[in-house]
């Protein structure tokens, strides 16, 4: 009986992992299409990316507060100080706001598929900024990988039939914002030594992001909305859209918590292909060409090589830290050589 339970447990865990991954892929892909529909469809007629993103962050802030402080279903982790908040949480919140704002704005000008192709350049931005921040080291191998990704994105862009450079600028701005957010997150965890659960992270970051979005919204989009006379606001659709965004943010952390770093990166690549191919079916403004697909395949190959390199580096770092903690405090010549390499 014990053996039977033992054999059932890995199968159940495996099924649970696949469920988490499918949830992440479905929510992530669905949210992209949902945002595109809300922003560009004639039925909803809500072409205000700043307003939509601000609504998401306000909804997330209120829901986190209700869940943690009113209903007390979930707990906010302790350890947050004013110094950590001002030096880490505020920059992360600001970059998160910038990423969502610029990324959503890009959907007004370019297709979902092309926006997704441009996102493939993310590792290049993360690596360059990581080198500038002293978190990454330049090497010939990484330079080659970055060149492959950049070349793939350039080929995909060359194959785009209806290219709109305003949309490209917005999307690349979103990529830079996301890269900066990831850099700040790494500094937050590595140097501050504070790890927060998903709800705690959203509890602290969402209000900050909302405040960062409120100021530009007042000056850039509120006058346009006021000029319409009455705000074209569909509460049910926008509330559902906000709920999906909140669920997506939670699912990302949930997948990371219950799977490996490799799994989430592979799932991300699968999600990207799902979005590109489905958008060609769902949206009239998406016309994929062979050059598009060929360039994107090259870029994804470079992204896969980057992920593999990063995972091996993280595994080596973890192994070396385990060895150093179990070894004697007196350094030897071999250990110092290993550390320097």
């Amino acid at each position: 009986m014990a053996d039977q339970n033992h054999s059932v447990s890995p199968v159940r865990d495996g099924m649970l992992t696949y469920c988490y991954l499918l949830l992440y892929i479905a929510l992530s892909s669905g949210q992209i299409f949902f945002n595109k529909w809300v922003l560009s469809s004639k039925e909803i007629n809500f072409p205000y990316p700043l307003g939509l993103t601000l609504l998401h962050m306000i909804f997330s802030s209120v829901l986190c507060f209700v869940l943690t402080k009113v209903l007390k279903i979930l707990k906010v982790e302790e350890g947050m100080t004013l110094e950590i908040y001002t030096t880490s949480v505020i920059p992360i919140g600001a970059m998160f706001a910038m990423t969502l704002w610029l990324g959503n704005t890009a959907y007004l000008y370019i297709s979902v598929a092309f926006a997704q192709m441009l996102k493939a350049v993310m590792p290049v931005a993360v690596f360059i900024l990581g080198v500038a921040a002293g978190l990454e080291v330049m090497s010939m191998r990484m330079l080659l990988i970055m060149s492959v990704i950049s070349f793939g994105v350039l080929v995909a862009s060359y194959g785009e039939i209806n290219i709109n450079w305003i949309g490209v600028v917005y999307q690349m701005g979103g990529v830079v914002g996301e890269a900066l957010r990831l850099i700040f997150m790494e500094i937050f965890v590595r140097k501050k030594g504070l790890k927060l659960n998903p709800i705690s992270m959203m509890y602290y970051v969402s209000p900050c992001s909302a405040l960062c979005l409120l100021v530009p919204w007042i000056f850039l989009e509120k006058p346009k909305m006021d000029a319409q006379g009455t705000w074209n606001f569909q509460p049910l659709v926008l509330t559902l859209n906000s709920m999906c965004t909140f669920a997506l943010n939670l699912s990302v952390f949930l997948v990371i918590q219950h799977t490996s770093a490799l799994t989430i990166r592979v799932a991300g690549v699968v999600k990207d292909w799902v979005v590109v191919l489905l958008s060609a079916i769902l949206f009239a403004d998406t016309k994929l060409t062979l050059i598009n697909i060929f360039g994107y395949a090259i870029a994804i190959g470079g992204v896969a090589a980057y992920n593999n390199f990063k995972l091996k580096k993280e595994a080596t770092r973890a192994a070396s830290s385990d060895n150093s903690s179990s070894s004697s405090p007196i350094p030897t010549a071999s250990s110092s050589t290993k550390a320097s390499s």
Side-chain angles (χ1 to χ4, degrees):
M1 189 72 179
D3 292 338
Q4 192 176 11
N5 289 336
H6 184 71
S7 63
V8 170
S9 184
V11 174
R12 188 178 61 191
D13 290 344
M15 289 295 291
L16 199 62
T17 300
Y18 281 116
C19 286
Y20 284 134
L21 287 172
L22 287 172
L23 178 70
Y24 162 71
I25 292 169
L27 282 172
S28 185
S29 307
Q31 188 61 34
I32 290 170
F33 297 139
F34 201 172
N35 285 348
K36 171 73 173 178
W37 181 64
V38 168
L39 290 168
S40 62
S41 72
K42 291 178 181 177
E43 294 86 9
I44 303 301
N45 191 25
F46 194 80
Y48 306 111
L50 251 175
L52 184 65
T53 311
L54 175 60
L55 191 66
H56 291 166
M57 291 299 101
I58 292 172
F59 184 89
S60 178
S61 302
V62 172
L63 198 55
C64 283
F65 181 80
V66 171
L67 290 172
T68 56
K69 300 299 181 183
V70 180
L71 299 177
K72 297 185 178 178
I73 298 171
L74 299 165
K75 186 181 178 184
V76 177
E77 290 184 16
E78 303 296 329
M80 182 60 65
T81 63
L82 182 62
E83 189 267 335
I84 292 174
Y85 194 88
T86 52
T87 58
S88 296
V89 175
I90 289 177
I92 290 169
M95 291 305 104
F96 191 42
M98 175 182 166
T99 300
L100 296 173
W101 166 25
L102 298 179
N104 283 332
T105 305
Y107 292 141
L108 295 175
Y109 300 94
I110 58 177
S111 68
V112 170
F114 186 47
Q116 210 64 28
M117 291 176 189
L118 292 174
K119 281 181 187 176
V121 83
M122 179 72 70
V124 179
V126 172
F127 181 71
I128 291 171
L129 291 169
V131 170
L135 299 172
E136 298 282 356
V137 179
M138 183 65 75
S139 66
M140 284 303 296
R141 185 173 178 180
M142 286 302 289
L143 200 62
L144 178 63
I145 291 171
M146 296 303 113
S147 300
V148 169
I149 295 171
S150 301
F151 176 71
V153 172
L154 282 172
V155 171
S157 302
Y158 180 77
E160 181 67 11
I161 296 170
N162 302 315
I163 192 166
N164 185 307
W165 289 106
I166 296 174
V168 171
V169 170
Y170 273 120
Q171 186 60 54
M172 296 311 292
V175 166
V176 171
E178 177 64 6
L180 283 168
R181 186 184 74 86
L182 292 171
I183 294 295
F184 285 132
M185 284 284 287
E186 189 166 348
I187 293 170
F188 180 62
V189 173
R190 190 185 293 185
K191 295 188 177 178
K192 306 294 181 183
L194 186 63
K195 292 185 178 180
L196 300 175
N197 62 28
I199 283 290
S200 298
M201 198 66 183
M202 291 170 70
Y203 176 83
Y204 289 119
V205 170
S206 296
C208 178
S209 296
L211 196 62
C212 291
L213 290 163
L214 180 63
V215 177
W217 175 79
I218 289 170
F219 292 102
L220 297 176
E221 282 189 357
K222 188 177 180 294
K224 294 178 185 177
M225 294 173 78
D226 289 336
Q228 295 276 331
T230 57
W231 289 9
N232 186 22
F233 191 86
Q234 297 195 24
L236 183 62
V237 173
L238 295 176
T239 301
L240 187 61
N241 184 263
S242 300
M243 284 180 68
C244 287
T245 304
F246 184 81
L248 171 61
N249 291 335
L250 272 184
S251 75
V252 171
F253 293 112
L254 197 67
V255 169
I256 292 169
Q257 196 173 1
H258 289 85
T259 63
S260 65
L262 175 61
T263 309
I264 186 68
R265 282 175 172 142
V266 171
V269 172
V270 172
K271 182 264 297 180
D272 292 341
W273 276 109
V274 167
V275 170
V276 168
L277 297 175
L278 274 181
S279 62
I281 300 168
L282 296 173
F283 296 106
D285 66 346
T286 303
K287 292 178 176 63
L288 292 178
T289 65
L290 285 174
I291 298 175
N292 271 149
I293 296 170
F294 178 66
Y296 189 52
I298 293 171
I300 287 295
V303 171
Y306 171 80
N307 288 340
N308 184 53
F309 181 81
K310 287 289 288 179
L311 287 165
K312 283 183 177 177
K313 189 177 176 182
E314 287 166 14
T316 306
R317 187 187 297 161
S320 63
S321 65
D322 289 342
N323 290 336
S324 64
S325 62
S326 60
S327 63
S328 62
I330 303 170
T332 60
S334 61
S335 65
S336 62
T337 306
K338 187 177 181 182
S340 63
S341 63

